[in-house]
Amino acid sequence: MANHVPLDLSGADHPALRAFKEVIPLSGFSGATVALVRDRAQPFVRKVSNRADANASLRDQAVRQKALAGLVEGCAAMPEVLDMGESEGFFYFDMAFIPSRDAINFLSNGTFDGVAEFAERVERLMERLAASPPVGDAPLPPRKQLLVEKMAQIAERTGARHEEALAPLLAAVAKLDVIVADETPTAVHGDLTFENILVDRRGALWLIDTIPSPFDHYMVDWSKLFQECEGLWHAHRGRPLARGVTWWLRQYFHGAATRLDPAYPARHYILLGLTFARILPYAKTEEDRAFVSKRVTECGLAALEHL
């Protein structure tokens, strides 16, 4: 029966939320419903799959969240996973509610001292990820072949629609010798966008919505940050930030990435292009497809100049 529940379940209509009286829907990624539950003395957030075939990925996210929480402790935090299970065939996990706002909201309203402190906290987080082992039983080393396979997968899934946009990036990947010299995997969040970084009243960072990456390496997280402060993904989604703020963050983060690995600049646009290319199979509107394909082409051309 669970497999026949409509895909657009949300809020109190979801079988895993019907037992609660006070449910406030929150934003969530495709395939899941996220809601703040306030029935108990201590409010909590429940994240639950909308389809039975999405159970495994959501379960993996809960496990990754618990594992990463220990690795980033002291420079960032992740909401504590309080419980997990299934309700009418749908996997869910509960986590602590963190009074906070996402980085877009914080950066749009904060002082520049606050922006600078945010950047320094992110740099410390990236240093921790770079120095930490990957989570999971079968980490994927940052090998060029995995990058080639991911690009081929994107090209296959999008058909000829974006062939021209992908061409410069594919040419740049072909010219690349290695992603990183020693090909050692590291810890990685996987989706470190501004929407997935929460900032509490003390300025501390809280990370949400970790996902698997094409390979396990912290450079993937740099590319997600640059998707925001250089690629302006948040602005395309209707949440613009002051360009002076995004430009300053871009320069700061690029310097921090280079300090961690002097070879980073030559990989920057390949990784940023890959990050945008990964959106192409999921782009639903012509506006989204045009914006993302333009960014992919721009990154591919820039990558060729920097190799």
Side-chain angles (χ1 to χ4, degrees), residues 169 269-270 272-273 276 294-304:
L169 186 58
Y269 284 109
I270 287 180
L272 181 55
F276 273 110
K294 182 172 183 255
R295 286 289 188 262
V296 171
T297 300
E298 291 169 344
C299 289
L301 293 172
L304 287 170

Side-chain angles (χ1 to χ4, degrees), residues 125-148:
L125 167 64
M126 297 301 294
E127 290 171 347
R128 176 67 60 81
L129 293 173
S132 300
V135 302
D137 299 327
L140 298 173
R143 292 178 180 150
K144 177 182 174 178
Q145 184 58 32
L146 290 176
L147 185 58
V148 171

Side-chain angles (χ1 to χ4, degrees), residues 90-134:
F90 298 99
F91 178 81
Y92 69 85
F93 71 95
D94 298 338
M95 58 190 125
F97 170 67
I98 308 300
S100 57
R101 46 186 170 154
D102 70 22
I104 301 174
N105 186 295
F106 174 79
L107 293 169
S108 65
N109 293 289
T111 64
F112 218 95
D113 284 344
V115 172
E117 183 180 353
F118 170 83
E120 291 166 359
R121 288 177 184 268
V122 170
E123 182 177 13
R124 289 195 292 272
L125 167 64
M126 297 301 294
E127 290 171 347
R128 176 67 60 81
L129 293 173
S132 300

